[in-house]
Amino acid sequence: MIAIDPKNQDVKENYKLLIGSVIPRPIAFVSTLSEDGVLNAAPFSFFNIVTADPPMIAVSVQRRNGEQKDTARNAISRGQFVAHIADEHYIEAINETAASLPPDVSEVQLAGLTAVASTNIEVPGIAEARIRMECVLEQALPLGGTDGSPSCDLLIGRVVQFHIDDALYNNGRIDANGLQPVSRLAGNDYAKLGQQFTVIRPS
Ligand SMILES: Cc1cc2nc3c(=O)[nH]c(=O)nc-3n(C[C@H](O)[C@H](O)[C@H](O)COP(=O)(O)O)c2cc1C
């Protein structure tokens, strides 16, 4: 085994170990609304469930040269965002939205995606997604950083509305094969759902 003390590596080296090890990562496609009303959307693979009681999810938005990305700034200023599950049929469009664009340019329009009004919050969702979760910002935690300013904003969202494609919903469960989720590996690599198997948990 190779033993590595992260303190002896720079940020990029530690980043590479993390993104290559924590795989496959689910991808949230997050829409937010700027203070000027521009609909913003971008993918985030530092994403997971926090708790089901009440339903909460977390997305970690890294800062860029110490500056908050539009997603973090908008989610914090509006207190709302929509998280969509990335899937095979719109992953190319999602990828297009990851370009660094000025805050007044809507990535949604640029990628040819369709905005859809939310039911419980003012931030629209993306119609192409087959699962979307309207979220109210529960907490935004500035974390990390070695020079006194944080390296990321951890957005914790409370889900106030689920929207699920009829074809994927069966008696309270989600059809994983129908969803065709896409996950992130390191670099530009992605993975589809692989071979599935069952392990019965001991009682
Ligand atoms: C598949 C994928 C996953 C990504 N995951 C993250 C992530 O977890 N955290 C992050 O800060 N940026 C992530 N990015 C980069 C952001 O999507 C990118 O910086 C985007 O421009 C941010 O948009 P915004 O400035 O509109 O918020 C990811 C990009 C891709 C393509």
Side-chain angles (χ1 to χ4, degrees), residues 13 24 33 36 40 42 45 68 90 92 94 96 102 126-127 156 195:
E13 289 166 330
L33 207 52
D36 298 336
N40 179 90
S45 71
Q68 283 178 333
Y90 76 124
E92 300 288 344
I94 289 176
E96 281 184 44
I126 305 299
I156 300 175
Q195 198 184 356

Side-chain angles (χ1 to χ4, degrees), residues 23-139:
I23 54 169
R25 293 184 302 286
I27 302 170
F29 185 46
V30 177
S31 62
T32 56
L33 207 52
S34 77
E35 283 185 341
D36 298 336
V38 177
L39 181 60
N40 179 90
F44 295 91
S45 71
F46 295 6
F47 161 57
N48 224 304
I49 300 168
V50 175
T51 178
D53 178 22
M56 286 199 235
I57 57 158
V59 176
S60 176
V61 184
Q62 307 307 295
R63 293 199 183 183
R64 205 188 270 129
N65 307 320
E67 296 280 309
Q68 283 178 333
K69 291 183 182 176
D70 295 342
T71 298
R73 193 168 349 94
N74 295 346
I76 291 166
S77 70
R78 291 254 177 193
Q80 301 178 340
F81 63 90
V82 184
H84 310 76
I85 303 301
D87 72 48
E88 287 181 40
H89 85 279
Y90 76 124
I91 189 65
E92 300 288 344
I94 289 176
N95 186 44
E96 281 184 44
T97 68
S100 299
L101 296 169
D104 58 335
V105 178
S106 173
E107 291 98 349
V108 176
Q109 244 177 345
L110 201 91
L113 292 166
T114 320
V116 57
S118 287
T119 52
N120 287 29
I121 61 175
E122 60 184 355
V123 180
I126 305 299
E128 282 76 6
R130 288 177 304 155
I131 298 183
R132 58 180 204 272
M133 301 175 196
E134 297 178 14
C135 296
V136 167
L137 188 69
E138 181 80 15
Q139 280 194 46

Side-chain angles (χ1 to χ4, degrees), residues 4 6 9 11-22:
I4 297 172
Q9 300 206 116
V11 173
K12 201 167 180 186
E13 289 166 330
N14 286 326
Y15 174 77
K16 280 194 216 164
L17 293 186
L18 288 169
I19 63 165
S21 304
V22 184

Side-chain angles (χ1 to χ4, degrees), residues 1-10 13-14 17:
M1 298 291 274
I2 298 173
I4 297 172
D5 182 338
K7 286 198 293 296
N8 297 332
Q9 300 206 116
D10 65 24
E13 289 166 330
N14 286 326
L17 293 186

